Amino acid sequence: MSVIALAGNQNSGKTTLYNKLTGSNQHVGNFPGVTLEKKEGQLKKHKDISIVDLPGIYSLSPYTLEEVVTRDFLLKEKPDLILNIVDATNIERNLYLTLQLMELSIPMVIALNMMDEVTASGNSIDVKKLSSHLGIPVVPISASRGEGISELIDVIIRASKDNLCPKKLDFCIGEVHKAIHSISHLIYDQAVAAGYPPRFAATKLVEGDEPTFKSLAITENQIHIIEHVVKDMEEALKTDREAALADMRYCYIEKICSEAVVKRQETKEQRRSEKIDRVLTHKYFGIPIFLGIMFFIFWMTFHVIGAPLQELLETLIDGLTETASSGLIGMGVSQWVHSLVIDGIFAGVGSVLSFLPIIVVLFFFLSFLEDSGYMARVAFLMDKLLRKIGLSGRSFVPMLIGFGCSVPAIMATRTLASERDRKMTIVLTPFMSCSAKLPIYGMMTAAFFPDKAALVMISLYVTGIIVAVLSGLLLKNTIFKGEPVPFVMELPAYRIPARRSVLIHMWEKGKDFIQRAFTVIFLGTIIIWFLQSFNWSLDMVENSSKSILAYLGSIVAPIFIPLGFNDWRASTALITGLTAKEAVVSTLTVLTGAVSDIELSQALFAIFTPLSAFAFLTFTLLYMPCIAAFAATKRELGSMKYAVLTALYQTATAYAAGTLVFQIGSLFIGG
Ligand code: GDP
Ligand code: MG
């Protein structure tokens, strides 16, 4: 079994190529930081070759977790071949990584991607020259169009058989050359023992890379010598060590490119991007435009497309429920089985499932924005604002993912270089309203604010953001003192999203949602049904207000008096919501015993007033995330104590915000 590592810059088309090579359906995004964990798959028609899609990186210095993941993989697992994907429209910057990968002494092939854009703009790249300069096979491809893929596969197979390592390594000259070579001699044996290629190790030692010093067990004495050599180099070149190496690499890249790349003009896409950016990232209009776009998306999702589809699905589910109900009665099953299946499972799972269209439509729009390259701009726009609350634009990425689901969002904080930024983002991300909360909003707005659905939804989303901002300010001035790291994120060219990619994204979201409905929610509704149908002596109760659940729920219920509701069904729903937020909906549906939307609305009116309904929504928006997200928090913060503190903080914030909504609202409309 040979292993091929797919390495390259972010947005160079790695995942697109990976999907083409393996025939799998990983999510592609025109958005830095989409691929976080490495993925592994088998090369189509060559089951003995496996391909690993690594996170996108710009260098092999361990500044971010993505770089660490990639670097560790390359150094420790020693793949049989590195397939370096290079974005031909940004060749200079992409080759910077290439030169570092070459130092690893692993057989290597370059896939020169996005050649369609290069040719379309009248530019050209002399692939033969490039290849002979680098001493590595170079194959021009277009991953998204599937051009050059079979040639690439041939070259990969040949190269991995021949086991040819990059030949040329001496692209260093002058002072840097002296430094690298003398250090390389000095540490040669240690490097070999630690499994580091000596040349790579020497370069890293010149750069002052801590992990390399540790891995090679460099002695005190050697540190002195290295320091001395590097100081000499710095003095001779009059720059610092990192700049000296960067200069050396860019010098070499410039030399190659001047011979191999004919660049008459920027590509069509780059020019188009510049024009679009003049409007969309405008100093004053940028953010209003973003808000306008989001408003449009919500309006489309909830009013225009999602709502009719949802009604359709509801009718379907209702029909199915009735058929099942009469079927069960016809079969003469006992009353409790009927109750379990119809009032428990069908009502509970059905109430959640009917929100599928809304989720899918919303994610259609969001993945369109993401794939087009627009979201990366928004991160850039948000940098200034985020900086005010002690975060950088980088944190926008996880926060945005948080609108989908907190679990991947919390994991996405791994792209942040600074621990401080990272922890703070983990605490704040769950305030972003995740998609599992949508069904709750849907249910409550249908009952209490039917004419103002979009407005109420947006106000909830905005409340989440405002609370995150205020929390950010609080944390920045208390626990997380310090400055966010400078923001560097590359802006990809605007591209029309590939239909396939958007579809994959929608499918993933939909599948996830359905899976949850039939696992967590399914189990939850059965448990809730049981607890609300039986009393302590396990007799079936006529009226669920005499049930075990009513007893338990009513202990908790008074806590919510300041928020305007005091009902065991509401408090129970909030507790079951911890398993998965959608469970709030299924629980309330099961507990009210409602079989139609109208009945549910009426039942909800017995529990809430419009104002306390809004306080309830505010609380659900902000209180601690579901168990899965809690587990992710614990994992990423690395301690149970901090995870619990975070959850307490979030729940306390939710309680305070809900109370505020109800109390202030009461002043105006008198309860
Ligand atoms: P990754 O971040 O390296 O995994 O890159 P992705 O595979 O997510 O691709 C980034 C963007 O480039 C997506 O919008 C792709 O559709 C687009 N893309 C990938 N390959 C090509 C190509 O060969 N030509 C063009 N024009 N676009 C491409
Ligand atoms: Mg990717």
Side-chain angles (χ1 to χ4, degrees):
M1 184 72 143
S2 33
V3 176
I4 296 181
L6 190 54
N9 285 186
Q10 285 171 350
N11 284 306
S12 56
K14 269 191 328 303
T15 307
T16 312
L17 179 61
Y18 175 84
N19 286 345
K20 281 269 150 51
L21 291 175
T22 60
S24 67
N25 285 335
Q26 292 298 340
H27 173 51
V28 179
N30 200 0
F31 195 56
V34 168
T35 309
L36 279 169
E37 309 219 359
K38 54 184 203 305
K39 305 204 174 63
E40 194 162 352
Q42 286 159 342
L43 185 60
K44 264 197 253 178
K45 298 195 196 114
H46 297 274
K47 295 284 173 245
D48 56 330
I49 297 183
S50 84
I51 299 190
V52 181
D53 183 17
L54 296 166
I57 48 164
Y58 296 103
S59 81
L60 289 178
S61 318
Y63 288 127
T64 66
L65 259 144
E66 293 157 310
E67 286 166 350
V68 175
V69 168
T70 305
R71 178 172 146 144
D72 279 356
F73 182 81
L74 294 174
L75 281 174
K76 302 205 176 116
E77 319 246 327
K78 297 230 189 298
D80 300 288
L81 182 113
I82 296 176
L83 177 54
N84 175 212
I85 178 161
V86 166
D87 174 357
T89 63
N90 265 319
I91 190 162
E92 288 91 352
R93 204 204 44 225
N94 276 249
L95 286 177
Y96 189 76
L97 176 67
T98 305
L99 292 190
Q100 298 185 50
L101 292 173
M102 281 160 63
E103 291 180 339
L104 294 174
S105 302
I106 296 172
M108 198 161 141
V109 169
I110 291 180
L112 198 57
N113 194 26
M114 314 252 182
M115 282 306 280
D116 54 320
E117 290 189 6
V118 172
T119 7
S121 59
N123 299 336
S124 66
I125 294 175
D126 187 335
V127 174
K128 279 220 185 78
K129 244 188 210 152
L130 190 63
S131 168
S132 75
H133 270 300
L134 293 169
I136 301 172
V138 177
V139 186
I141 64 164
S142 166
S144 59
R145 299 187 181 190
E147 289 164 8
I149 305 293
S150 52
E151 290 86 339
L152 179 64
I153 293 179
D154 290 344
V155 173
I156 292 174
I157 291 176
R158 215 171 325 127
S160 65
K161 280 214 185 89
D162 296 351
N163 201 26
L164 279 184
C165 293
K167 285 184 270 317
K168 297 203 183 168
L169 281 177
D170 257 348
F171 41 78
C172 49
I173 37 165
E175 295 298 326
V176 183
H177 176 90
K178 261 201 281 183
I180 291 181
H181 283 261
S182 52
I183 293 177
S184 156
H185 284 301
L186 179 71
I187 51 97
Y188 192 92
D189 295 335
Q190 277 146 292
V192 173
Y196 274 53
R199 153 94 198 187
F200 172 77
T203 316
K204 289 293 138 194
L205 293 175
V206 173
E207 278 175 4
D209 175 87
E210 280 302 326
T212 310
F213 275 92
K214 284 209 195 84
S215 306
L216 266 59
I218 301 293
T219 63
E220 257 334 283
N221 196 14
Q222 285 172 318
I223 292 180
H224 282 303
I225 303 176
I226 292 172
E227 191 54 32
H228 186 76
V229 171
V230 175
K231 274 263 162 59
D232 279 355
M233 176 193 83
E234 285 180 328
E235 262 159 41
L237 292 172
K238 302 201 167 43
T239 50
D240 68 37
R241 49 201 77 185
E242 287 190 46
L245 283 178
D247 279 352
M248 161 201 90
R249 292 193 187 111
Y250 275 119
C251 259
Y252 189 69
I253 291 170
E254 222 168 87
K255 189 170 141 255
I256 306 173
C257 288
S258 68
E259 287 178 36
V261 179
V262 180
K263 199 164 188 180
R264 280 199 213 98
Q265 52 180 348
E266 291 181 297
T267 68
K268 207 166 74 235
E269 285 74 11
Q270 282 164 345
R271 263 175 296 141
R272 188 180 60 193
S273 291
E274 266 168 39
K275 274 197 209 126
I276 300 177
D277 270 343
R278 247 173 267 156
V279 182
L280 291 186
T281 59
H282 188 276
K283 215 161 110 199
Y284 302 116
F285 303 134
I287 290 179
I289 290 176
F290 171 62
L291 293 179
I293 291 177
M294 290 314 283
F295 188 86
F296 173 76
I297 289 178
F298 279 106
W299 178 71
M300 288 296 278
T301 307
F302 294 109
H303 283 285
V304 183
I305 310 179
L309 284 177
Q310 187 188 5
E311 262 167 48
L312 197 74
L313 193 63
E314 260 173 13
T315 323
L316 260 168
I317 294 175
D318 285 350
L320 211 65
T321 310
E322 257 162 54
T323 321
S325 169
S326 44
L328 285 173
I329 293 172
M331 280 157 62
V333 297
S334 64
Q335 193 215 336
W336 74 266
V337 175
H338 181 268
S339 168
L340 167 65
V341 176
I342 302 300
D343 306 335
I345 297 169
F346 267 77
V349 174
S351 63
V352 169
L353 218 51
S354 67
F355 287 92
L356 182 65
I358 290 204
I359 304 250
V360 172
V361 173
L362 182 64
F363 278 92
F364 164 77
F365 285 114
L366 287 185
S367 56
F368 189 90
L369 285 193
E370 189 185 307
D371 289 2
S372 69
Y374 178 60
M375 282 308 184
R377 266 75 183 179
V378 180
F380 168 76
L381 281 175
M382 292 294 166
D383 183 54
K384 254 202 229 110
L385 289 179
L386 283 171
R387 219 152 263 287
K388 293 214 170 83
I389 63 164
L391 292 173
S392 85
R394 258 294 191 183
S395 297
F396 179 74
V397 183
M399 294 208 164
L400 189 84
I401 300 176
F403 284 112
C405 174
S406 301
V407 176
I410 289 167
M411 280 162 58
T413 58
R414 293 185 196 169
T415 55
L416 303 182
S418 109
E419 270 304 294
R420 174 191 164 281
D421 288 17
R422 193 160 172 247
K423 287 188 179 136
M424 208 162 142
T425 311
I426 292 174
V427 177
L428 299 184
T429 297
F431 289 139
M432 303 301 120
S433 182
C434 77
S435 61
K437 291 172 195 161
L438 263 178
I440 313 177
Y441 306 163
M443 174 184 66
M444 297 298 262
T445 48
F448 296 97
F449 319 100
D451 310 326
K452 303 196 190 71
L455 192 70
V456 170
M457 306 264 181
I458 291 190
S459 70
L460 285 166
Y461 278 84
V462 171
T463 305
I465 296 169
I466 293 176
V467 169
V469 168
L470 295 178
S471 293
L473 285 176
L474 178 73
L475 295 177
K476 175 187 153 194
N477 291 310
T478 52
I479 311 172
F480 295 116
K481 287 216 174 88
E483 282 304 310
V485 291
F487 176 56
V488 254
M489 178 150 100
E490 171 216 356
L491 296 183
Y494 284 104
R495 292 196 170 89
I496 309 275
R499 202 174 341 131
R500 200 179 129 83
S501 153
V502 174
L503 287 179
I504 291 172
H505 203 169
M506 281 166 68
W507 161 242
E508 276 174 0
K509 281 283 173 262
K511 193 179 67 178
D512 213 50
F513 189 74
I514 295 173
Q515 258 170 10
R516 286 156 67 89
F518 283 103
T519 50
V520 188
I521 305 290
F522 180 82
L523 265 174
T525 46
I526 293 180
I527 295 171
I528 291 297
W529 172 84
F530 174 79
L531 291 176
Q532 65 115 22
S533 302
F534 293 88
N535 61 20
W536 289 106
S537 31
L538 296 187
D539 294 322
M540 206 161 169
V541 293
E542 274 297 310
N543 185 332
S544 53
S545 63
K546 304 214 166 49
S547 64
I548 303 177
L549 194 60
Y551 176 79
L552 295 176
S554 54
I555 300 175
V556 185
I559 297 178
F560 294 102
I561 291 175
L563 283 76
F565 52 93
N566 175 10
D567 189 290
W568 64 276
R569 289 165 293 192
S571 45
T572 311
L574 289 175
I575 295 169
T576 55
L578 294 179
T579 56
K581 290 291 156 91
E582 300 97 323
V584 171
V585 172
S586 51
T587 305
L588 277 174
T589 311
V590 172
L591 290 185
T592 54
V595 286
S596 71
D597 270 6
I598 303 177
E599 270 187 53
L600 180 62
S601 295
Q602 282 167 349
L604 288 175
F605 262 100
I607 305 177
F608 304 101
T609 64
L611 183 59
S612 69
F614 197 72
F616 178 81
L617 284 176
T618 311
F619 186 84
T620 33
L621 162 73
L622 301 171
Y623 82 126
M624 73 172 279
C626 66
I627 294 294
F630 178 79
T633 307
K634 188 201 149 245
R635 201 169 53 235
E636 301 299 325
L637 286 179
S639 114
M640 188 62 168
K641 188 175 124 211
Y642 289 121
V644 169
L645 281 177
T646 302
L648 284 178
Y649 172 72
Q650 286 155 342
T651 310
T653 308
Y655 190 78
T659 307
L660 227 62
V661 165
F662 184 73
Q663 298 301 338
I664 293 182
S666 303
L667 292 182
F668 286 99
I669 56 174

